[in-house]
Amino acid sequence: MNPVDSLIDALPSGRVLTDPDVAGSYARDQTFLEPGKPLCAVAAQTRDDVVATMRWASEHRVPVVPRGAGTGLAGGATAVEGCVMLSLARMTAIRELSPADEVAVVEPGVITADLDRAARAHGLMYAPDPSSYEISTIGGNLATNAGGLRCVRYGVTRDSTLGLEVVLADGRILATGGRTIKGVTGYDLTGLFVGSEGTLGVITAATLRLRRAPSVPPVTIAAEFPSPRAAGDAVAAIVAAGCQPLLLELMDRGTLEAIDAWKNIGLDPGVRAMLIAQADGHLPGDAAEMERLCEANGAGFVAVSSTPEETEELIGLRRLAYTAKERLGACLVEDVCVPRSALPDMITLIEEAAARHGAHICTVAHAGDGNLHPVFIFDRGLPEPPPNVWAAADEVFRAALELGGTLTGEHGVGLLKRRWLGLESGPLVTEVQQGIKRVFDPLGILNPGKAI
């Protein structure tokens, strides 16, 4: 008997997808990486579907790659040969939304923006907002500990996660955390699973912290600079001054040119970088101070929003960045993070790496928390980035580590960054992490070859 037949028997009709083309459509994320050929895909709709799949996989020792919407940028949801692609995209229930406790209990296939919209109907908000928030899922955000534009104020996904329901590799169901804001009973298993990239268990529900939505519209500032370094200096000055921005985003000239080529935004030839900042409407002094500090650090022009529509227009400009760069070619998207005081130096080092290796790099940054996204653009049709791009990426990663930073702030290690992992982790950290992996997944079937 074909082992897949027993998986088909264990699940409701239509859950197991065996057609090679259909299963193959689940095999990729947003990277250029060539996936392995999956054995099949499972389109789970309930926790019981996930339990049955993991029990079967454990019995037959078949690798399982969990998957959300496939918007990942590190290869974390790329198929390995002979695996089951376990899609959680159909698990879309918001099981509970409690205004009294300011929590929501959601399944992993819920779109991030949909949760935020549901919360705002009650005067609340879901704070994490990756740029892909209209298409990325909560499960994927949890897997990579995603951040986004608002994390300078509210933190990353882990900071909004109170508890999880997780199906372990052998099919057992583990509950972590709870619905209280505070809780220190035992080890922090919730925090361990957030950012584990599907290597320790399959998240089937999450209890998430909601926050009060601002009652006063924010004020948004867009400042144009003669260099990315000057914009970075403005960021450092804003942070040092004690301002509390809701977001603080930087775009370099290459990114602005890509947006201009697509949307014709009227980019001035002398603009080499743009900083988009947002101040809490309850703190009008912050907006004025950030405007002043941008001008003091060389901004040639500063625009301040006066209506919510103008705010949406300016924030929308930032959200266009990745799609605009995709129009230029294939993209290797990275996300190094450095201490905020080192942001101006890191911007300069990225520019120098691009020039030294003849690489086309466009950079955006969640500048308020030191998280930079240098995007290496190369010709479509190539199986992977050419040697000069890899050389420039290597230089960027090493520079971030030398400045006291990290290889990834929110995209995860996946497959793309494993070649550099030893530079940051070291042998003892690697040994400990592999030991943790063995506790939760002794057979090594959960997303093998990823993250650690």
Side-chain angles (χ1 to χ4, degrees):
M1 181 180 180
N2 185 330
V4 177
D5 291 339
S6 60
L7 178 60
I8 294 172
D9 290 342
L11 290 166
S13 177
R15 301 288 205 272
V16 183
L17 310 172
T18 57
D19 180 276
D21 291 335
V22 175
S25 69
Y26 289 85
R28 291 180 177 273
D29 60 9
Q30 291 296 304
T31 62
F32 56 84
L33 294 165
E34 189 64 30
K37 183 178 178 181
L39 184 66
C40 65
V42 170
Q45 293 187 27
T46 67
R47 181 187 69 184
D48 289 346
D49 293 345
V50 177
V51 169
T53 300
M54 294 314 306
R55 285 177 177 168
W56 176 89
S58 183
E59 178 185 352
H60 295 277
R61 301 202 174 195
V62 174
V64 175
V65 177
R67 171 191 166 89
T71 61
L73 296 167
T78 303
V80 299
E81 194 68 25
C83 73
V84 172
M85 293 300 299
L86 178 55
S87 171
L88 306 165
R90 297 184 185 180
M91 296 182 65
T92 59
I94 297 178
R95 296 181 183 176
E96 179 189 356
L97 200 157
S98 170
D101 290 332
E102 296 185 356
V103 301
V105 181
V106 306
E107 293 183 347
V110 172
I111 298 296
T112 310
D114 288 345
L115 173 59
D116 187 49
R117 281 188 279 265
R120 286 179 188 269
H122 300 276
L124 303 170
M125 62 183 285
Y126 178 62
D129 69 330
S131 294
S132 59
Y133 76 133
E134 288 284 5
I135 55 173
S136 65
T137 63
I138 293 295
N141 294 172
L142 290 163
T144 60
N145 194 23
L149 277 62
R150 289 194 291 253
C151 51
V152 63
R153 168 67 71 89
Y154 298 107
V156 291
T157 298
R158 184 179 286 119
D159 298 304
S160 291
T161 306
L162 301 175
L164 297 172
E165 174 187 274
V166 183
V167 177
L168 299 178
D170 59 6
R172 289 179 296 166
I173 300 168
L174 175 69
T176 77
R179 57 190 296 132
T180 56
I181 300 301
K182 298 167 70 176
V184 294
T185 306
Y187 296 128
D188 181 11
L189 296 180
T190 301
L192 181 61
F193 278 101
V194 178
S196 63
E197 302 185 49
T199 62
L200 300 180
V202 182
I203 295 169
T204 52
T207 301
L208 302 173
R209 180 181 183 181
L210 303 177
R211 301 172 193 267
R212 286 285 157 190
S215 58
V216 178
V219 178
T220 303
I221 299 161
E224 298 176 346
F225 289 88
S227 71
R229 175 84 195 203
D233 288 338
V235 170
I238 287 169
V239 172
C243 296
Q244 301 176 53
L246 293 172
L247 59 83
L248 198 52
E249 298 288 307
L250 184 152
M251 295 184 286
D252 73 354
R253 175 74 188 187
T255 301
L256 295 169
E257 286 177 345
I259 296 172
D260 189 50
W262 181 22
K263 297 294 184 178
N264 192 24
I265 61 174
L267 181 63
D268 188 278
V271 177
R272 309 303 300 178
M274 179 180 289
L275 189 64
I276 297 179
Q278 196 170 79
D280 191 326
H282 290 288
L283 301 171
D286 268 12
E289 180 68 354
M290 287 192 284
E291 180 183 5
R292 185 189 71 79
L293 290 170
C294 285
E295 291 172 342
N297 282 276
F301 175 77
V302 181
V304 181
S305 68
S306 57
T307 66
E309 290 75 22
E310 288 179 358
T311 282
E312 286 303 311
E313 184 177 344
L314 292 172
I315 300 304
L317 191 68
R318 167 61 181 87
R319 294 194 188 278
L320 291 172
Y322 178 62
T323 304
K325 283 176 278 197
E326 274 192 315
R327 289 164 49 87
L328 303 180
C331 295
L332 170 64
V333 185
E334 296 306 341
D335 72 320
V336 295
C337 194
V338 297
R340 291 182 298 188
S341 61
L343 181 73
D345 291 335
M346 190 66 222
I347 290 170
T348 298
L349 290 166
I350 290 172
E351 290 184 313
E352 290 174 353
R356 189 161 21 252
H357 298 284
H360 186 185
I361 305 177
C362 299
T363 300
V364 299
H366 305 312
D369 52 20
N371 188 190
L372 301 100
H373 295 302
V375 178
F376 301 75
I377 300 170
F378 58 98
D379 291 339
R380 296 191 196 280
L382 295 176
E384 65 171 278
N388 69 309
V389 169
W390 282 127
D394 179 78
E395 190 168 318
V396 167
F397 287 133
R398 291 175 184 273
L401 294 176
E402 288 171 4
L403 290 173
T406 180
L407 296 171
T408 175
E410 58 184 1
H411 292 170
V413 174
L415 286 174
L416 280 179
K417 297 188 184 73
R418 291 195 74 214
R419 67 177 73 189
W420 292 282
L421 194 57
L423 295 176
E424 179 173 345
S425 298
L428 182 56
V429 169
T430 299
E431 179 185 335
V432 170
Q433 290 186 342
Q434 289 175 344
I436 293 170
K437 166 76 168 171
R438 285 191 294 272
V439 169
F440 288 98
D441 182 20
L443 299 178
I445 62 173
L446 273 169
N447 214 6
K450 314 286 181 61
I452 62 171

